[in-house]
Amino acid sequence: MSEPRDNAWAPVIESDIRDIIAASGNTLIQPEYVACASSRCTVAGLVDQTSAFDSCVIGSWLGDALIFRDAFSYTCIDEDAAGKQRFVVFVDSERAP
């Protein structure tokens, strides 16, 4: 991330993101990395290789949770790396009021 970390905002949003993923009840994914800066976040982890999980659904969960303002976008990547199915979701948004 190229923006500075907002140490008052980022930990709260990181926790919210982890809670949203946990509340989904989806056992096919295992988030390993959640990091935010000032308005951007990255979420990454592993996916059960026997599933056809689309990581873009994580971006939808975050958008539906309304922890960000209207200017919300995300990019999702699913990849096979070193024999493991991985996902990365980049969130770019204005901060919640």
Side-chain angles (χ1 to χ4, degrees):
M1 287 191 223
S2 61
E3 65 181 10
R5 181 170 169 88
D6 180 333
N7 288 319
W9 176 81
V12 173
I13 297 301
E14 290 165 352
S15 178
D16 288 348
I17 290 170
R18 286 186 194 94
D19 290 348
I20 290 163
I21 293 171
S24 76
N26 190 316
T27 59
L28 299 175
I29 61 173
Q30 178 184 358
E32 296 183 314
Y33 178 82
V34 177
C36 297
S38 295
S39 64
R40 297 182 185 130
C41 299
T42 302
V43 182
L46 298 172
V47 177
D48 182 328
Q49 288 185 317
T50 63
S51 75
F53 182 79
D54 179 358
S55 64
C56 289
V57 75
I58 295 171
S60 295
W61 295 338
L62 299 178
D64 292 345
L66 303 176
I67 59 174
F68 298 99
R69 289 186 182 217
D70 293 336
F72 172 84
S73 65
Y74 58 89
T75 303
C76 41
I77 301 169
D78 296 294
E79 64 183 5
D80 185 7
K84 295 183 179 184
Q85 186 66 29
R86 297 191 175 276
F87 70 87
V88 181
V89 179
F90 300 101
V91 178
D92 190 3
S93 178
E94 292 181 28
R95 293 168 24 165

